[in-house]
Amino acid sequence: MTQNTPDIRALAQLLARYREPDSARGVLELVITAVPFLAIWALAWHAFDSGYWLGLLLEVPAAGLLVRLFMIQHDCGHGSFFRSRFVNDWVGRAIGVVTLTPYDYWRHNHAHHHAGSGNLDHRGLGDIDTLTLREFHTQSRWRRMLYRLYRHPLVMFGVGPTYLFILKHRLPVGMMRGGWKPWLSTMGTNAGIAIFVAGAMWLVGYGPFLLVHLPIVVLAASIGVWLFYVQHQFEDTYWSHGEDWSFHESALHGSSHYHLPGVLRWFTANIGIHHIHHLSSRIPCYRLPDVLRDHPQLANIGRMTLLQSLKSVPLVLWDEERLQLVSFAEARARVHARSVGT
């Protein structure tokens, strides 16, 4: 932290003034996201009569709007988008049918992520699997190979997101014995998805629906996972064991400020201001820019541009000695250096 940055705990208390949702603003943000999404979806459907590539081109902004809908659902899960918890929950559940994400089940997992982000002793629900150097080298060859596969960019940002949203979210994975609530959330969402898909196929046809909607879902899923990845997987992020772990340190220094161009900030509903979001998750997404405007010293903490974020892709293992994420190549070189030194 810089000399101009206030104490983290004091900062967290200071941010409380930004936590009050504006329901009218929430309705506006929802309308200017959902209506263009439906309009572009319809245009893409009609465009396929003129040529496949024109329709496919329109699916890019549609995917961006689907990501924005997910971010609104995300804020509803934190109880921060509208004043009413009832409205937050039911808007979140309704959006979950479109984003293929069971709202209550996801909210539970995401709460675990916020409560233990950066804690090496509490990795699991809602996180991207991250091993330490020591853990990786004590694994069997088979498990090391599986971790390498899991961390490969084609899996992490290609196959993985599609599997996560289309298949994995259909069951309460990780909470199969967690009582009836996770099952109600996932099965209720599945029923809503079935009704939505059946209605859309009846309206536009089986083939056209898949041609339009499937690429939108696949692209939006990959964008969503990429955003979640770069928000925590960067070289000087924060990881620590339970006895040394600090919620406030992890929030401010284990989450990035993904400084995107203005249009991408809009499509991602300011989620790139992630260090502030983790420090005070009840701040609505539409008020996060106000925090940086009023406290500009916070803008440079964990700041990462779009180009700089590409460098985080190879970073896959946590080096507990140097307190930074490293690549497989760096891990190999350090192990070799140690063996030569001995």
Side-chain angles (χ1 to χ4, degrees):
M1 297 181 66
T2 66
Q3 292 180 345
N4 294 324
T5 306
D7 174 79
I8 301 179
R9 290 180 181 273
L11 175 61
Q13 295 174 355
L14 184 67
L15 295 179
R17 62 186 286 255
Y18 299 93
R19 293 172 59 174
E20 190 66 28
D22 181 341
S23 292
R25 176 69 181 274
V27 171
L28 175 63
E29 295 288 343
L30 180 59
V31 169
I32 64 175
T33 306
V35 172
F37 174 74
L38 293 173
I40 294 175
W41 200 104
L43 284 174
W45 170 48
H46 283 290
F48 277 112
D49 292 334
S50 303
Y52 179 75
W53 293 107
L54 177 59
L56 203 61
L57 187 63
L58 286 169
E59 290 178 347
V60 176
L65 289 165
L66 186 58
V67 169
R68 198 169 199 270
L69 281 172
F70 182 86
M71 296 309 169
I72 292 174
Q73 179 186 4
H74 164 270
D75 264 27
C76 288
H78 284 292
S80 63
F81 204 72
F82 301 102
R83 288 178 182 269
S84 166
R85 178 175 177 177
F86 177 85
V87 175
N88 276 312
D89 287 346
W90 282 101
V91 168
R93 289 172 186 138
I95 294 175
V97 172
V98 183
T99 61
L100 308 181
T101 305
Y103 171 78
D104 295 281
Y105 161 70
W106 172 86
R107 181 178 61 175
H108 176 86
N109 286 352
H110 193 64
H112 276 270
H113 163 69
H114 270 263
S117 179
N119 191 330
L120 288 168
D121 295 336
H122 292 281
R123 287 166 283 174
L125 288 177
D127 294 322
I128 289 173
D129 290 345
T130 304
L131 295 179
T132 67
L133 268 173
R134 179 186 57 80
E135 289 168 341
F136 178 73
H137 288 296
T138 57
Q139 299 280 329
S140 67
R141 180 172 296 187
W142 170 249
R143 293 185 68 85
R144 289 199 302 269
M145 186 182 73
L146 286 178
Y147 185 74
R148 284 179 176 273
L149 181 64
Y150 167 75
R151 281 292 196 150
H152 193 283
L154 289 179
V155 175
M156 181 63 67
F157 309 116
V159 178
T162 301
Y163 162 74
L164 174 67
F165 283 92
I166 294 180
L167 295 178
K168 188 176 180 181
H169 280 173
R170 307 287 63 82
L171 290 171
V173 177
M175 298 178 63
M176 302 287 276
R177 299 182 180 179
W180 60 270
K181 289 184 179 179
W183 286 96
L184 179 62
S185 177
T186 51
M187 295 304 110
T189 302
N190 291 344
I193 292 169
I195 294 170
F196 162 69
V197 170
M201 285 183 173
W202 175 81
L203 189 64
V204 305
Y206 176 84
F209 173 79
L210 291 179
L211 283 173
V212 174
H213 200 63
L214 193 58
I216 291 173
V217 169
V218 169
L219 181 56
S222 293
I223 294 171
V225 169
W226 168 257
L227 287 170
F228 185 74
Y229 181 92
V230 298
Q231 286 159 4
H232 298 283
Q233 302 281 317
F234 53 97
E235 186 174 20
D236 295 319
T237 187
Y238 175 95
W239 283 97
S240 184
H241 285 285
E243 64 273 13
D244 299 318
W245 179 82
S246 162
F247 171 84
H248 294 92
E249 288 283 347
S250 176
L252 196 60
H253 298 295
S255 307
S256 65
H257 172 205
Y258 198 21
H259 185 69
L260 295 168
V263 65
L264 295 183
R265 286 200 298 273
W266 186 86
F267 274 108
T268 58
N270 301 311
I271 197 63
I273 310 175
H274 210 63
H275 58 323
I276 304 302
H277 168 66
H278 262 258
L279 197 57
S280 186
S281 61
R282 291 293 300 274
I283 297 177
C285 62
Y286 45 80
R287 299 205 65 189
L288 286 171
D290 297 344
V291 176
L292 296 187
R293 179 199 64 204
D294 297 342
H295 306 280
Q297 72 273 22
L298 300 176
N300 290 325
I301 299 177
R303 187 178 183 275
M304 183 191 309
T305 65
L306 186 60
L307 185 60
Q308 289 170 335
S309 69
L310 300 178
K311 298 178 182 178
S312 70
V313 175
L315 305 178
V316 293
L317 295 165
W318 178 249
D319 188 331
E320 293 183 270
E321 292 183 3
R322 301 196 181 190
L323 300 181
Q324 60 184 200
L325 282 174
V326 298
S327 66
F328 287 123
E330 289 174 305
R332 222 172 18 247
R334 291 179 187 184
V335 169
H336 177 71
R338 288 170 189 165
S339 64
V340 171
T342 57

